[in-house]
Amino acid sequence: MDWSHYRFRTQWALPATPATVYDVLEQAEDYPRWWPQVREVDRLDDTTGVITIRATLPYDLVFTAREVRRDRAAGVLEIAMTGDLEGWARWTIVGDGTGSLARYAQEVHVHKPLLRRLAVPGRPVFRANHWLMMRAGRRGLAAYLEAV
């Protein structure tokens, strides 16, 4: 088993239509406005940017995100990541009653040296760190959508 390899799946129930949720998630440079752990998004061009995240643990992860798929009709936004994280992440937004479900899937290898050294003993803590970040993201996005 590669202890630096992670797969994450999260689902957020949100109080807005799929089109509205898609429109917000499509604007990655605005994530720091509603997602506290997304510290910075620096757009390099129309499809690429550098993202800095920091969740509960005291380390930053910096990676370049490149758009792979943007499909409004299917409700899919997907990126490829390189840097401290290498792999992919995908949002899939579908209707759910009067709101939406935003499904997040991610598969990455961690390249940050400290996290690789601590891969075995730190794995449960790193997974909890990710869970806390995703929980805060859902709360932030829900509040943001309520205000829009």
Side-chain angles (χ1 to χ4, degrees), residues 32 36-42 50-54 60-63:
Q37 292 80 10
V38 178
R39 301 301 172 102
E40 193 172 351
V41 178
D42 293 317
V50 176
I51 300 173
T52 302
I53 59 173
R54 177 183 275 206
D60 289 347
L61 292 172
V62 180
F63 57 91

Side-chain angles (χ1 to χ4, degrees), residues 115-133:
L115 302 185
R116 290 185 66 80
R117 281 194 295 278
L118 297 173
V120 174
R123 189 172 182 84
V125 176
F126 299 155
R127 291 189 69 78
N129 193 53
H130 184 270
W131 182 85
L132 290 168
M133 178 178 163

